[in-house]
């Protein structure tokens, strides 16, 4: 049994802004089920939503700052959660990174530096908790200073640093390094310094014993200039300790057999019932109810990363094809407007909902035939996994986790029944259109289509599978 301290800036269901929270809420649960002694640690934000009892267990002083450690449980589990309570830094409205108006916290470097310092105290049994870690598992830049600070300790635990998205690095002017009173020996180009700036993520990349990211393909991509944001050199230098482990998905929430948000539950053995979800989705989206027309769907943040510009470039051609399209998303205001304008012009072909709507997201996954995910980059991605569970065939660009979780429908994979989706390489409207045409053609052959759906629904995207891979890594170090 390993003693693991899992450090993250957000943990579902306590606090969530994105996919990191899902991982930090699910992976520790799965590791606990594999009989590991795992503790989660995160800041005690004002906006934490907790249903479990919270109790004070200790107070710690670091760098002339005081913090309390509060203990609670991850809701509906026995996983212990330690909250780093420092009201001066964390008892504010807003989310972990921005204030109520969406502006980045001016003291964000102070916030996560204190958090990292406390993680180090807890991991090394200096926080009066009578517990020390064998492994500290850090996540994204907010925890990057932990491996760096541990590197100058004696008897230190092993460290793993997981990259959930290289696009966020925690960069600050050099003066912040001095203001934070960080150990001088960490300031050099092989340490926390990045082009005369302080880089939190480099603390993880330069000092952790193992670096992971959330898919094997993304682990390779970030070693190249296109995806590495200037850190590709360091990452390719570290290639032998860098690996990719695909995230699991929450099967309690996303299973068509038990999904309470959809019109009609279904499974592999009752796939014929999926059509009821299609016709109700068409009706609620004010599209003509038509069982045989291929229905396309997309659920996404409307931002560059998701290749939404490719969709916009294809829409004019798509409305001339025999298909319907249901889109749900929010993000870039000009993209939102263009999509709404298009839907107004072609109300019988395209339905656009702007906003965040979990219920509708489930209905789309269950109701559509084909899901579009043409991301420019995608560390792991969830919707392509949900789609496969729901017998909804994803069209993806072959990048990151999309490349690793989809088996493209090619003659060979079709022949041996391993095809689960359709993928294309180039991030161009032409390549996306070709993939769409390929999907429509495949859809027209009902027998092959059902085979693809069945293979997709059978895939194992459980957290248990991923947790076993993390455990193997912990055992190695
Ligand atoms: P990312 O974390 O980069 O946004 P993922 O595919 O990993 O992308 O996860 C996105 C998650 O957010 C999925 O669960 C998806 O269904 C959900 N989502 C995104 N946009 C919306 C929306 N407008 N309404 C409901 N759910 C959404």
């Amino acid at each position: 049994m390993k003693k693991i301290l899992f450090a993250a800036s957000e943990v579902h269901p306590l606090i969530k802004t994105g996919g990191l929270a899902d991982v930090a809420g699910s992976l520790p649960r799965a590791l606990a089920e594999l009989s590991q002694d795992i503790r989660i640690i995160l800041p005690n934000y004002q906006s934490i939503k907790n249903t479990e009892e919270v109790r004070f267990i200790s107070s710690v002083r670091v760098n002339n700052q005081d913090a309390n450690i509060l203990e609670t449980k991850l809701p509906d589990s026995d996983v212990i959660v330690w909250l780093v309570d420092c009201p001066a830094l964390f008892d504010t409205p807003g989310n972990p990174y921005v204030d109520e108006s969406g502006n980045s916290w001016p003291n964000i470097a102070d916030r996560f530096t204190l958090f990292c310092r406390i993680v180090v105290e807890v991991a090394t049994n200096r926080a009066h908790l009578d517990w020390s870690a064998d492994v500290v598992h850090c996540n994204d830049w907010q925890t990057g200073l932990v491996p760096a600070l541990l590197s100058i300790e004696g008897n230190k635990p092993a460290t793993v640093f997981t990259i959930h998205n290289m696009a966020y690095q925690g960069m600050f002017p050099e003066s912040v390094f001095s203001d934070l009173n960080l150990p001088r020996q960490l300031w050099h180009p092989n340490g926390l310094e990045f082009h005369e700036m302080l880089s939190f993520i480099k603390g993880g990349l330069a000092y952790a014993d193992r670096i992971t990211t959330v898919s094997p393909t993304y682990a390779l991509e970030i070693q190249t200039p296109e995806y590495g944001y200037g850190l590709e050199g360091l990452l390719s230098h570290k290639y032998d300790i860098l690996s990719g482990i695909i995230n699991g998905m929450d099967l309690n929430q996303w299973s068509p057999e038990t999904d309470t948000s959809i019109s009609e539950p279904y499974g592999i053995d009752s796939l014929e019932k999926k059509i009821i979800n299609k016709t109700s989705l068409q009706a609620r989206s004010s599209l003509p109810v038509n069982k045989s027309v291929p229905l396309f769907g997309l659920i996404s943040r409307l931002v560059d990363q998701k290749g939404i510009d490719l969709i916009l470039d294809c829409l004019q051609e798509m409305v001339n094809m025999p298909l319907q399209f249901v889109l749900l998303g929010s993000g870039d205001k000009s993209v939102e407007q263009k999509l709404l304008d298009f839907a107004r012009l072609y109300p019988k072909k395209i339905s656009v909902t702007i906003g965040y709507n979990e219920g509708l997201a489930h209905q789309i996954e269950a109701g559509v035939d084909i899901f579009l995910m043409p991301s420019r980059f995608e560390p792991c991605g969830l919707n392509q996994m949900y789609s496969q569970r729901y017998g909804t065939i994803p069209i993806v660009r072959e990048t990151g986790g999309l490349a690793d979780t989809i088996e493209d429908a090619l003659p060979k994979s079709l022949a041996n029944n391993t095809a689960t989706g359709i993928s294309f390489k180039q991030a161009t409207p032409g390549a996306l259109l070709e993939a769409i045409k390929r999907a429509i053609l495949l859809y027209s052959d009902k027998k092959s289509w059902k085979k693809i759906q069945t293979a997709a629904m059978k895939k194992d995207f459980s957290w248990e599978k991923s947790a076993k891979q993390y455990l193997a890594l912990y055992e190695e170090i």
Side-chain angles (χ1 to χ4, degrees), residues 16-20 22 165 247 254 299-303 305-306 328-330 353-362 365 371 373 375 377-384 386 402:
K16 169 168 169 171
T17 75
L20 167 61
D22 290 322
N165 194 332
N247 291 334
W254 292 94
I299 306 162
S300 182
R301 293 186 288 124
L302 303 175
V303 295
Q305 176 192 339
K306 303 294 178 181
L328 166 65
S330 65
T353 306
I354 299 299
Y356 192 93
N357 184 334
E358 296 244 351
L360 181 56
H362 283 254
E365 284 293 3
F371 192 91
M373 208 157 165
S375 305
F377 72 95
E378 195 64 77
C380 178
L382 285 170
N383 273 309
Q384 84 283 9
Y386 300 160
L402 300 177

Side-chain angles (χ1 to χ4, degrees), residues 2 20 68 101 151 216 253 278 285 295 371 373 390 431 449:
K2 291 275 174 212
L20 167 61
N68 301 315
S101 327
S151 74
Q253 274 210 43
K278 176 171 177 174
S285 310
L295 179 58
F371 192 91
M373 208 157 165
Y390 281 70
W449 193 256

Side-chain angles (χ1 to χ4, degrees), residues 257-459:
E257 297 86 355
T258 52
D259 192 329
T260 50
S261 306
I262 64 178
S263 303
E264 181 72 31
Y266 60 97
I268 293 189
D269 301 326
S270 52
L271 199 45
E272 69 287 348
K273 290 194 198 153
K274 182 169 162 61
I275 198 92
I276 302 169
N277 294 293
K278 176 171 177 174
T279 50
S280 14
L281 179 65
Q282 287 170 324
R284 90 158 266 182
S285 310
S286 307
L287 293 168
V289 173
N290 177 335
K291 290 183 179 170
S292 59
V293 67
L295 179 58
F296 285 68
L298 180 149
I299 306 162
S300 182
R301 293 186 288 124
L302 303 175
V303 295
D304 259 4
Q305 176 192 339
K306 303 294 178 181
I308 201 70
D309 55 312
L310 301 177
I311 300 280
L312 283 172
D313 287 344
C314 287
L315 278 181
Q316 192 59 57
E317 294 230 27
M318 283 176 75
V319 293
N320 294 324
M321 294 179 180
L323 58 79
Q324 294 178 345
F325 187 16
V326 180
L327 186 151
L328 166 65
S330 65
D332 188 322
K333 295 293 161 219
S334 76
V335 172
E336 291 179 354
Q337 197 51 52
K338 283 181 194 154
L339 289 169
L340 286 171
D341 291 345
F342 227 92
R344 213 165 290 128
L345 279 176
Y346 301 96
K348 289 193 158 49
K349 298 254 102 166
I350 301 185
S351 158
V352 170
T353 306
I354 299 299
Y356 192 93
N357 184 334
E358 296 244 351
L360 181 56
H362 283 254
Q363 289 153 21
I364 293 176
E365 284 293 3
V368 305
D369 301 298
I370 297 152
F371 192 91
L372 290 171
M373 208 157 165
S375 305
R376 291 185 174 274
F377 72 95
E378 195 64 77
C380 178
L382 285 170
N383 273 309
Q384 84 283 9
M385 296 196 263
Y386 300 160
S387 294
Q388 290 174 84
R389 278 288 292 130
Y390 281 70
T392 293
I393 302 312
I395 294 184
V396 302
R397 190 168 96 77
E398 202 179 309
T399 182
L402 300 177
D404 294 328
T405 52
I406 299 286
E407 190 63 43
D408 192 13
L410 295 173
K412 191 172 164 207
S413 60
L414 284 168
N416 63 19
N417 293 332
T418 53
T420 64
I422 290 162
S423 70
F424 64 97
K425 279 199 167 53
Q426 299 302 324
T428 61
L432 174 56
L433 273 176
E434 277 312 307
I436 291 172
K437 288 178 191 157
R438 201 141 69 81
I440 295 175
L441 199 66
L442 276 170
Y443 177 78
S444 66
D445 174 358
K446 291 294 163 234
K447 221 170 129 197
S448 318
W449 193 256
K450 191 165 179 195
K451 277 193 196 162
I452 306 175
Q453 286 180 302
T454 310
M457 292 175 88
K458 279 187 182 155
K459 286 189 90 164

